[in-house]
């Protein structure tokens, strides 16, 4: 039975590889695993529905998509690009560095909702970072344009990941404390938050250096002659 359960892993990989709807892939694999474990089929479906109902707040993010669509239709991206064109010396790296600092500080204060891929990266930050590069380098390739979008998403991920642990009441701090407590190690949330600060600072330095290198690479690839800043 163990090898039958392990077979669900390649099924997931195959489903994602051939680009089947992720929801269908996960649902199918869940049903498959339940059948292999000899659970009652009705109970499997019931448990899936029960779990979805208990975690329905996860789907709240979808409610923001119609709003973003309307804003983009009304020219949100164009306004972001226009704003960048008016800032002298703006570059892709500098824009993302600024957002990193903002995101990490707000995350450290527990304001995790002030940012995110759906709310900030796609409609604002990525278009601004891309526009800064296109203003400097008129022949920016699609590959580098996609790379800038990837750096934008990574900036949000790294900033919030290393920033949120500084906030004393975040779930990850409580999880770490519970883990230590289960091993008879007494550590307060305050101590964990304090020790998260050096990691946050290192993440800031390392990622900002990567963004600096991104600016340097773009300048080297397209040449100073294309720089119209």
């Amino acid at each position: 039975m163990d090898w039958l359960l392990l077979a669900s892993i390649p099924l997931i990989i195959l489903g994602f590889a051939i680009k089947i709807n992720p929801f269908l892939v996960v649902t199918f694999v869940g049903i498959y695993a339940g059948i292999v474990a000899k659970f009652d089929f009705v109970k499997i479906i019931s448990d899936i529905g029960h779990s979805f109902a208990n975690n329905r707040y996860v789907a709240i993010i979808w409610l923001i998509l119609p709003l973003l669509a309307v804003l983009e239709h009304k020219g949100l991206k164009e306004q972001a690009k226009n704003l960048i064109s008016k800032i002298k010396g703006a570059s892709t790296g500098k824009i993302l560095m600024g957002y990193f600092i903002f995101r990490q500080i707000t995350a450290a204060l527990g304001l995790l909702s002030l940012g995110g891929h759906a709310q900030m990266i796609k409609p604002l930050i990525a278009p601004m970072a891309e526009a800064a590069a296109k203003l400097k380098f008129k022949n920016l390739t699609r590959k580098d344009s996609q790379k800038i979008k990837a750096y934008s998403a990574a900036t949000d991920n790294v900033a919030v990941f290393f920033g949120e642990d500084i906030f004393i009441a975040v779930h990850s701090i409580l999880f770490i404390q519970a883990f230590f407590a289960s091993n008879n190690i007494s550590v307060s949330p305050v101590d964990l938050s304090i020790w998260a600060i050096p990691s946050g600072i290192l993440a800031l330095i390392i990622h900002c250096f990567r963004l600096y290198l991104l600016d340097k690479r773009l300048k080297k690839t397209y040449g100073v002659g294309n720089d119209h800043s």
Side-chain angles (χ1 to χ4, degrees):
M1 183 182 293
D2 290 342
W3 69 270
L4 287 173
L5 288 172
L6 289 175
S8 62
I9 298 176
L11 286 175
I12 295 175
I13 296 174
L14 177 63
F16 289 153
I18 60 179
K19 298 182 179 180
I20 298 177
N21 187 300
F23 180 79
L24 294 178
V25 173
V26 174
T27 302
F28 171 78
V29 171
I31 294 174
Y32 167 82
I35 292 174
V36 170
K38 297 182 179 180
F39 290 152
D40 180 71
F41 183 75
V42 175
K43 184 179 187 305
I44 295 172
I45 301 300
S46 176
D47 286 346
I48 291 175
H50 182 70
S51 297
F52 179 80
N54 285 346
N55 296 280
R56 58 187 178 276
Y57 62 86
V58 176
I60 290 177
I61 186 63
W62 296 105
L63 297 177
I64 199 173
L65 296 182
L67 173 61
L68 291 177
V70 172
L71 291 175
E72 290 186 6
H73 178 70
K74 295 297 183 180
L76 179 62
K77 286 186 177 181
E78 286 70 21
Q79 291 301 319
K81 293 176 182 178
N82 291 337
L83 175 63
I84 290 303
S85 66
K86 296 176 182 178
I87 301 177
K88 186 177 181 180
S91 69
T92 298
K94 291 177 182 177
I95 292 170
L96 294 181
M97 286 179 197
Y99 178 72
F100 188 101
I101 295 171
F102 164 80
R103 183 68 162 135
Q104 192 173 57
I105 291 175
T106 54
L109 296 174
L111 304 174
L112 300 179
S113 61
L114 294 181
H117 292 187
Q119 307 97 309
M120 289 287 286
I121 296 300
K122 184 181 184 299
L124 284 176
I125 303 303
M128 289 169 68
E130 187 181 8
K134 287 183 176 179
L135 287 170
K136 285 177 173 289
F137 315 110
K138 300 301 182 182
N139 57 339
L140 186 73
T141 64
R142 184 178 184 277
K143 180 180 178 181
D144 281 328
S145 179
Q146 294 299 315
K147 187 180 289 291
I148 290 172
K149 293 177 182 177
Y151 267 87
S152 301
T155 296
D156 187 272
N157 287 347
V158 177
V160 74
F161 184 86
F162 288 96
E164 65 177 358
D165 285 346
I166 300 174
F167 184 59
I168 190 173
V170 76
H171 60 276
S172 57
I173 288 291
L174 301 178
F175 177 79
I176 295 170
Q177 184 191 27
F179 173 79
F180 279 125
S182 66
N183 290 276
N184 299 319
I185 301 175
S186 179
V187 181
S188 71
V190 174
D191 290 334
L192 292 172
S193 296
I194 291 174
W195 280 103
I197 295 176
S199 298
I201 294 174
L202 284 175
L204 171 65
I205 294 172
I206 293 171
H207 194 74
C208 285
F209 181 67
R210 293 182 69 240
L211 295 173
Y212 167 79
L213 292 179
L214 173 64
D215 271 349
K216 296 287 287 185
R217 189 184 68 79
L218 289 173
K219 195 170 184 178
K220 181 179 180 181
T221 300
Y222 297 100
V224 181
N226 289 330
D227 195 334
H228 294 276
S229 61

